[in-house]
Amino acid sequence: MGAPMRFIARIINGRHEAVLNFSIDKARATSWSNAQLLANMTPIQQEQHIAAMDNLVLKLGKKIEQPGPWAIYLLKLIRKTEFDVPARTIGLIESVVM
């Protein structure tokens, strides 16, 4: 495993599952809250709320698509340490205990 991946593994230190679970729980709670809000709105209010949610999701998607200079730099470092054989890279990823 290359230095950038070792660095990331040290930073993550087993917390990746907690982050993923938090994200999934937060998404479910937000979805439920929005469903409850929409159920108690007029059709016009629903349209406005849905448009606002769509806008928020679009902004989030753009942030994921364009994560910023630090994330791009880190990804480039990681790519430099990857092997040309995908099967070997996958095997190394699966063998990492985080």
Side-chain angles (χ1 to χ4, degrees), residues 32-47 49:
W32 181 247
S33 294
N34 279 306
Q36 289 177 316
L37 286 171
L38 289 166
N40 293 301
M41 292 180 176
T42 66
I44 292 172
Q45 291 172 324
Q46 288 174 344
E47 285 180 34
H49 189 73

Side-chain angles (χ1 to χ4, degrees), residues 18-35:
V19 170
L20 290 174
N21 287 337
F22 170 79
S23 298
I24 291 169
D25 290 344
K26 192 73 170 167
R28 287 180 179 147
T30 302
S31 296
W32 181 247
S33 294
N34 279 306

Side-chain angles (χ1 to χ4, degrees), residues 5-25:
M5 287 302 290
R6 281 194 301 271
F7 176 71
I8 291 171
R10 266 191 242 125
I11 291 172
I12 292 173
N13 193 23
R15 292 179 283 220
H16 64 289
E17 286 185 29
V19 170
L20 290 174
N21 287 337
F22 170 79
S23 298
I24 291 169
D25 290 344

